[in-house]
Amino acid sequence: MKNIVWFSEGTKDQKELLGGKGANLAEMTSIGLPVPAGFIVTTDVCRQFLENQQLTQPLVEEIIRAVATLEERTHKSFGGNQQPLLVSVRSGAKYSMPGMMDTILNLGLTDQTVQALAANTKNPTFAYDCYRRLIQMYGDVVKGIDKSHFESYLTTYKHKKGYPSDQSMVAPDWQEICEVFKSIYMEHTQERFPQDPLEQLLSAVQAVFRSWNNPRAITYRKIHKIAHDLGTAVTVQEMVFGNSGAASGTGVAFTRDPTTGHRGLFGEFLACAQGEDVVAGVRTPRPISDLAKTQPEIHAQFSAIAELLENHYKDMQDIEFTIEEGRLFVLQTRNGKRTAKAAVQIAIDLVSEGKITKKTALHRLTPDMLDQLLHPIFSPESLAKASPLGQGLPASPGAAVGRVYFSAEAAVSAHQAGEKVILLRQETSPEDIDGMVVSEAIVTSRGGMTSHAAVVARGLGVCCVAGCDQLAVDSFLKQARCGEVIIQEGDYLSVDGTTGNLYQGALSLVASQDFGLLQTILDWSKERADLVVRANAETIEEIKTAASFGAAGIGLARTEHMFFGEARIWPMRQVILAETTEERQVALSQLKTFQLNDFKELLLQTKEQKCVIRLLDPPLHEFLPRPQEYEEMAKRSGYSLEKIKQRIHDLQEVNPMMGHRGSRLGITYPEIYEMQTAAIIEAALQASEAGSVVYPEIMLPLISIPEEMRVLRERLETYIRQIFAHYQKEVPFKIGMMLETPRACLLTKELAPLADFFSFGTNDLTQMTFGFSRDDAAGFIQRYLDKGILSEDPYQHLDKSGVGQLMEQAVASIRQQTKGKAIGVCGEVGGDPQSIAFLRAIGVDYVSCSPYRIPAAWLAIAQSAS
Ligand code: PEP
Ligand code: MG
């Protein structure tokens, strides 16, 4: 096993062993790009180290030999007094975890070598600035000394001297700072700052390995579902200096705009600075186009390298570079993080540029990116009335409204209390991750498009405005000033991550209208999909939205949802409270008028497509009047108040979700289902009279007993024949059933001949299989997740081993009994991209989900199909 791999030996395909950074440095070296020399200590070593908490002697010796080789290759000497070699020690895991682990720069500087560096470069200001950076970073990363101890001293020093920025500092200033930093180091560690470069290097390598397990890295891995046992590699690389003079600098650039996806170099550059200054957002950088004015040859060379790298990797690259005294070096390349919109735009453009196939493009996207494309925007009306309070960089798109908090902790606790929060900070750092995850939007007053806040927000899909320099943020006083306006903790703020505008108060949000890109992805996905997506929808608006996302018909129209609203709820209540069939018939005839229109609209809207209408499945408690409505109910129904109370008391259920619901209601009050069936069939007759081809499919909920299905089907079919006879006309129709109890799944052999189609109601099936009440489970499922008893919430992601097993054998048994009967899934997991591959594998014909989940479902199907 190789513990150390030279850049000149590795390739881009070795990310697991060399980490993403190391593998790409190796690749760039092999294609001849100007990469400073270096080697990689592998992730294998990291895993061993984390087990034993120490570097083995043979490994230490290997590192010492590698340093000697690096000295030869660079013609410099580590700790030498002539040409001192300085190195960077960086983390680099298989998956990029920006800013989560540690890095140390300028290793090799000591009281001796700093003098040599000053003499060689004839730039003591630069040399001592490097030295103080090393003491500070080493103190923080290796010894855990809080950065603020160093930074606050530096701030006070500059203040005392009247310096506006670091730029004003000269050599004696940095020399003095170095002395003070060494004493801060001594004070916290009781040790001298190490003067042996090898000791520095070995401690740094261990600290970087350890940083794999720091809390923010662990949180990041949890959020991004990265395995905890991968470990990080460490790259040890010759330092080049962006801070060594006016002809030096450092920058980060993307080969395409990471926010919009548009083609063209997009990045930032800081003259006379080290990489950390750009990423940390401490100084606000200049656009990379400025480099074309100040150093045109370098700009041209960099542009050519950027294009070469993008063509080589066939994806948008995020490239870090440094210019040392007019010489360009590439320090890192990786596939750039991007917004959902940019991801989709880039995937589409790379296909049209002939660089990747449609299949590759679809696999580069994640279903949640399509969700993000549907992000809300501010309504034009509310925007027309509002004027921006300030503007920053549009770092991550979408619009958000929430209450302002000035620290991650405050944001987290407000979120836990049910508030929508906006995290407002001067700049964010990786420690803020918990607060960022729960925020509707992140706003910073400092930093650029590649600052921590911007990069992390884009990755999370959270709206972000960065570098809004009109804001003076005081997190101690918990307020921010923007011109005359003071924003206090808890105030509402509206944030537009697409324009960078901030607005006081709460603007109203509407769904995004930017569906152009989505359409192409939908078309490509549908070309590859081998099962279809239907919609769970009842209203015309929902059906139209579903249609615009390519829904292949309706998989579930929940008829009980048609009874919300003043005009309908009272007759519906009357149906429930009626004691006799006759009383119930009166209320039902009122409802039939509504239903006939509902179904006609539904069928006309979905004409020529399948339309599954589920007969009433109301958990009764959702429809019963509340105590304050008893009097009104009495007035409307003509029953006495006493009788109303008595009837409600009689109807009360201990567990309504497992109570008098679904087909049970159809059995006990057949006139309810008859009314709905009549309304569906008459609507279909009228629609077909008007020339439309319609396919009503009547679905019976919560069947557990084959006899329930037999009885209901017979009764409804008889009734339908009477309607046909009455109208002397017929329309095609089907009667199907939901599979949402374990018993139904187990008895599919008997049920298969009784239904024309089947649809898994996984919400109820999950409830009944686990015995977890749908209404009450949320309270304890989180604890189960925390304790690792469950790895996922089965209401969000299908429980493949239990519920999935029932489904799998039910599908197999239906297919064995009958041919050509559609089997779908209309519970919540039907729209869950993570569950779709399984549903496809067990052989369902369609999934059905709410309209906004449809695009992601199509993509998930296309991805699992190829
Ligand atoms: C289900 O149970 O999965 C289902 C779709 O029906 P409902 O959620 O309306 O009970
Ligand atoms: Mg159900």
Side-chain angles (χ1 to χ4, degrees), residues 152 537 539 750:
S152 62
T539 67
E750 282 91 322

Side-chain angles (χ1 to χ4, degrees), residues 556 558 560 614 617 661 738 740 760-765 774 826-828:
L556 175 65
R558 289 176 162 106
E560 61 281 3
R614 184 180 70 184
D617 179 12
R661 270 181 73 192
M738 296 190 72
E740 44 187 353
F760 286 102
T762 47
N763 304 336
D764 279 310
L765 190 56
R774 278 169 76 163
C826 63
E828 217 38 53

Side-chain angles (χ1 to χ4, degrees), residues 531-549:
L531 57 137
V532 300
V533 186
R534 296 196 194 176
N536 290 358
E538 297 83 37
T539 67
I540 296 303
E541 208 148 289
E542 283 170 346
I543 296 167
K544 282 188 177 156
T545 308
S548 73
F549 296 150

Side-chain angles (χ1 to χ4, degrees), residues 36 52 117 121 158 189 362 416 440 469 498 613 638 640 746:
N52 311 324
L117 184 68
T121 57
K158 282 186 289 190
T189 60
L362 292 179
Q416 279 165 352
E440 303 296 312
D469 55 13
T498 311
I613 302 172
S640 69
L746 294 170

Side-chain angles (χ1 to χ4, degrees), residues 1 44 112 154 251 258 349 688 835:
M1 190 182 77
D44 284 342
Q112 293 292 311
L154 182 55
D349 288 349
S688 104
S835 308

Side-chain angles (χ1 to χ4, degrees), residues 55 124 586 789 812 843:
L55 298 176
V586 176
I789 295 172

